[in-house]
Amino acid sequence: MKVFTNNIIEIDLLPKYEETTLNKPHPSYWTLMLVNIIAFLTILGIGLATLFLLNEKAAMNWIIWVVAYLIFAIMLFVIYNASFKRRGFALREKDILYKSGVIAETTTIVPLNRIQHVALNEGILSRIFKLGTLQIYTAGGNSGQISIAGIPIEQAKVMEEALVQRLVVKTEN
């Protein structure tokens, strides 16, 4: 007969995830982010120019609009750069860890035995830069999902295969 125990866990003795060395997104991912930002700003700039052509009041205040556009563009670059530098992930023996965020930092740790599905996504631009996004799904719905972008495609395939192998072993037991 098994005896029920419910011992106290010493919090100070638990492993600290903060000490884990994180893998950063590949440097090409920053270039990919820049391409996306520039494409967005180009479309926004075309919209602003169209506004000037169609609206005389807006055209009279074009300096204000252009300064606001430039400030917005600079802020976008700064925030995305900070976001790129703060991202990291680690595949550990029993879990996968993902950290992101600029203003509010989020660290997500998913136990490997909770993973239900793994997908590897490659967009058109990602393929050009040989990068992939590893999507990890758990039973928790949207809150139980990790999306790790900027992984070199070969490394992402190895990680995907390792996680899928864990899933196969889990379902066989």
Side-chain angles (χ1 to χ4, degrees):
M1 180 176 187
K2 201 172 192 180
V3 177
F4 175 76
T5 61
N6 193 8
N7 298 323
I8 295 173
I9 296 174
E10 293 295 328
I11 294 174
D12 294 339
L13 299 177
L14 290 173
K16 306 212 178 338
Y17 74 86
E18 297 93 343
E19 296 172 358
T20 303
T21 303
L22 299 177
N23 298 301
K24 297 292 184 184
H26 193 273
S28 295
Y29 186 58
W30 173 242
T31 306
L32 178 62
M33 290 172 80
L34 284 176
V35 168
N36 286 326
I37 292 168
I38 290 169
F40 170 74
L41 290 173
T42 300
I43 292 168
L44 188 63
I46 291 169
L48 195 58
T50 304
L51 177 68
F52 294 156
L53 290 172
L54 300 177
N55 187 322
E56 285 185 33
K57 275 189 176 180
M60 289 177 12
N61 298 320
W62 70 271
I63 290 182
I64 294 170
W65 286 99
V66 170
V67 169
Y69 174 82
L70 291 174
I71 290 171
F72 176 73
I74 291 167
M75 292 293 293
L76 207 57
F77 279 105
V78 169
I79 290 170
Y80 271 85
N81 189 308
S83 167
F84 174 77
K85 289 179 180 178
R86 304 275 315 241
R87 293 177 191 206
F89 66 93
L91 179 57
R92 304 188 303 180
E93 186 179 326
K94 297 188 187 314
D95 58 30
I96 188 159
L97 185 140
Y98 179 63
K99 185 174 108 173
S100 65
V102 177
I103 296 169
E105 183 177 285
T106 302
T107 302
T108 305
I109 302 171
V110 175
L112 296 181
N113 63 357
R114 297 287 184 208
I115 295 174
Q116 302 242 322
H117 176 67
V118 180
L120 179 59
N121 298 325
E122 296 177 73
I124 294 171
L125 290 175
S126 295
R127 253 186 254 130
I128 292 169
F129 290 99
K130 295 181 173 72
L131 298 174
T133 299
L134 194 62
Q135 301 246 291
I136 300 165
Y137 301 91
T138 65
N142 284 342
S143 63
Q145 176 180 336
I146 299 177
S147 181
I148 306 172
I151 306 173
I153 194 64
E154 292 307 317
Q155 182 182 3
K157 286 178 181 177
V158 169
M159 287 177 64
E160 177 191 33
E161 184 62 31
L163 293 171
V164 167
Q165 287 301 319
R166 293 286 296 228
L167 289 173
V168 171
V169 169
K170 183 174 84 171
T171 57
E172 289 175 353
N173 290 336

